[in-house]
Structures are given as C-alpha cells and as structure tokens.
Amino acid sequence: MTADVQQQRLVFEGFTGPGLLGVFTPDRVAIETPDGEVVAERTSPRAAFAGHGPDTPWDRLHGLYFAGYAMWNYLTAPYLLTRPGVVVEEPEPWEDGGVSRRRLRATFPEAIATHAREQTFHYDDAGLLRRHDYAAEVLGSPPAAHFCEKHVTESGLVFPTHRYVVPIDANGEVLPEPVLITIDLAEVSVA
C-alpha cells in the first residue's frame, strides 16, 4: 500500500486480485486497473454503512473504505494530529498494567475519515505510540484498544510494524480476547 501524507489517499496494490488497485479517499473508493479503468466504485462510502448491524455483510468496497481510512490514519500518525481542525489535549496519564503512559486525546473534524471523532493515543517514556483507543463508528462503535509494537525507524520516522486490536470495557480496561484485528507490516519505506 502507498499512503499520501499530504492528502487523505491510500492505494492498495493487488486489492481483490492480481493487477488491481484499491484506491481510497474519504469521498470515493474504487477498484481500478493500473491504467485507470474503474472496475467498481462508490462515492460517499461512509454513508454506505448506514443501517448496518454487527451481522450485516460487507462488500469489497466497504472493506476498502474501512481498511483505507484505518491504514492511512495509522501510517500518518502522529503527523495526522497536526492536520487542520484536529484538536489535541493531554489528559491525565493512564495506568496500564502497572505502567504509566502519557496520553493525547484527539478530536477530529468531519473532513478526516477516521474511526471516531474522539480518540486517545497512549505514549511510552520514549515517545513511542503503544496504544490507541477508539470506537469505530462504521462497526457500531464498540470500544477497542489498538496496541502498537515492534517499532522500526525509516528515514528518521518511527513506525510500529505489529499492531493488534482487542475490546475494552466501559472503563477503558482491556479485555484479553478476542483479538479483533492483527496487522503486520513486513516492509516500510518513505519516499
């Protein structure tokens, strides 16, 4: 996948098949051939989740929208927090398994496609993102903790290459299972 840092755009190579591209922007998702022929597309992709319940099936364009905004947000953080309209505040530190973590609570404007308008980022003493809390609206807003590990440095930027998401309770306490999503990045490059 390739993320554009200056605008909210992400392209997946090989999306749903060899030689196909999955192109995400907040207002449009499309599956295209490398020469730009549109195989499938959806404008206003977030609206396509209206009325969905936990058992509502997704099509490939639902998946493209969710994965597109999620990965763009993950790959561009913490730069994401400097975007126009993002409001950040530092609440009290959070005690997590006997370890105190500094937190940033971010409120995102409607213009940024993301899991939820309000999210909390937890950082360790070295300034590395270790946990990211949100309630993904397109999934019905179940609260979750997204853990970040195995950080690598590329071109002076730090990226967590192993991520996993587990549910949290109403008090923000982590539930040990189920693991909802796991993401492993094998390679990171910056151009």
Side-chain angles (χ1 to χ4, degrees):
M1 69 191 104
T2 303
D4 183 331
V5 177
Q6 300 305 318
Q7 60 178 328
Q8 197 171 15
R9 184 174 192 276
L10 188 129
V11 177
F12 292 96
E13 293 182 26
F15 188 82
T16 71
L20 294 176
L21 304 174
V23 181
F24 157 81
T25 66
D27 299 322
R28 176 183 177 267
V29 290
I31 300 170
E32 302 176 353
T33 64
D35 63 358
E37 178 186 339
V38 176
V39 175
E41 77 175 325
R42 177 174 290 142
T43 56
S44 302
R46 195 173 196 96
F49 288 91
H52 274 213
D55 298 323
T56 305
W58 286 13
D59 62 26
R60 58 192 179 167
L61 295 174
H62 288 108
L64 176 56
Y65 179 75
F66 180 81
Y69 83 68
M71 290 307 299
W72 187 86
N73 281 252
Y74 304 158
L75 293 171
T76 63
Y79 177 72
L80 163 69
L81 302 177
T82 68
R83 305 278 301 178
V86 177
V87 177
V88 179
E89 62 179 327
E90 185 174 2
E92 292 297 315
W94 178 263
E95 196 70 29
D96 196 9
V99 177
S100 182
R101 305 257 193 229
R102 291 182 72 182
R103 300 182 296 162
L104 286 179
R105 182 177 301 125
T107 303
F108 293 91
E110 291 289 328
I112 296 177
T114 189
H115 286 306
R117 294 297 135 224
E118 187 173 291
Q119 301 175 38
T120 303
F121 298 79
H122 300 239
Y123 295 90
D124 67 13
D125 290 339
L128 298 176
L129 178 63
R130 292 298 181 171
R131 177 175 162 177
H132 176 194
D133 294 351
Y134 50 78
E137 295 164 355
V138 300
L139 298 174
S141 300
H146 177 132
F147 288 93
C148 302
E149 301 174 339
K150 299 181 182 175
H151 294 75
V152 300
T153 301
E154 176 62 37
S155 299
L157 302 172
V158 179
F159 298 90
T161 60
H162 177 72
R163 298 166 171 267
Y164 64 96
V165 180
V166 294
I168 55 177
D169 67 19
N171 297 319
E173 297 298 325
V174 172
L175 302 175
E177 52 185 37
V179 174
L180 304 169
I181 294 175
T182 301
I183 301 167
D184 287 298
L185 301 176
E187 182 181 334
V188 176
S189 64
V190 177

